[in-house]
Amino acid sequence: MTKTITQKVVFKNTTAKTLYALYMDAKKHSAATGGPAKIFARVGAMYSVHGSYVTGKNLHLVKNKLIVQTWRAEDWSKDDVDSIFIIKLEPKGKDVVLQAIHANIPNKYVDSIKKGWHLYYWEPWKKYIAYKGG
């Protein structure tokens, strides 16, 4: 059995371009999350983040608006099918609303992944943006 996580996060005083780059630019991804990243903003490109703990493939990209990827953690069973991860970025005045949908997650990992998005991405991104200035 699998589940879907849906998260909505507001990032203050930033742009969709900044958030897109934090995820799709390997140097910025690594700097913002503190984990090594190999990622390229190209459809079909494979990626790995957090020292290859997570791997996948870019399925669909709309610059500064949408990211769709396969997503798989290294501790998942070989029988577990890759999950699908989607980030949608929506500007709202001086802020950006990030909507994340992470589908097809094996049940036993749902809680840790849900917390992990906040712990390893959304909160560090907010600190990075505050430090770097938007």
Side-chain angles (χ1 to χ4, degrees), residues 12-133:
K12 302 283 187 184
N13 299 309
T14 194
T15 65
K17 180 180 178 179
T18 296
L19 295 178
Y20 187 89
L22 282 180
Y23 197 86
M24 294 307 301
D25 179 286
K27 284 185 181 180
K28 290 179 181 179
H29 193 119
S30 297
T33 64
K38 292 179 183 175
I39 192 164
F40 307 94
R42 204 172 61 245
V43 172
M46 303 301 289
Y47 72 90
S48 64
V49 296
H50 293 283
S52 296
Y53 176 72
V54 173
T55 57
K57 179 179 178 179
N58 296 330
L59 299 176
H60 186 70
L61 301 171
V62 179
K63 190 172 183 175
N64 306 328
K65 293 182 180 183
L66 183 70
I67 300 164
V68 182
Q69 302 174 310
T70 64
W71 192 103
R72 177 179 200 79
E74 72 180 356
D75 57 351
W76 288 12
S77 163
K78 288 183 180 187
D79 294 335
D80 293 325
V81 176
D82 291 355
S83 63
I84 300 295
F85 181 63
I86 302 167
I87 288 178
K88 181 182 175 195
L89 302 169
E90 186 179 345
K92 291 283 185 184
K94 293 183 179 182
D95 305 332
V96 177
V97 177
L98 179 148
Q99 294 181 13
I101 300 167
H102 196 164
N104 202 45
I105 302 169
N107 280 349
K108 68 181 182 176
Y109 300 112
V110 170
D111 289 338
S112 64
I113 290 173
K114 187 175 185 177
K115 291 175 190 168
W117 282 116
H118 287 279
L119 183 64
Y120 299 111
Y121 281 86
W122 318 145
E123 294 309 318
W125 279 16
K126 287 179 179 182
K127 289 177 186 173
Y128 183 88
I129 290 166
Y131 177 74
K132 292 287 187 179

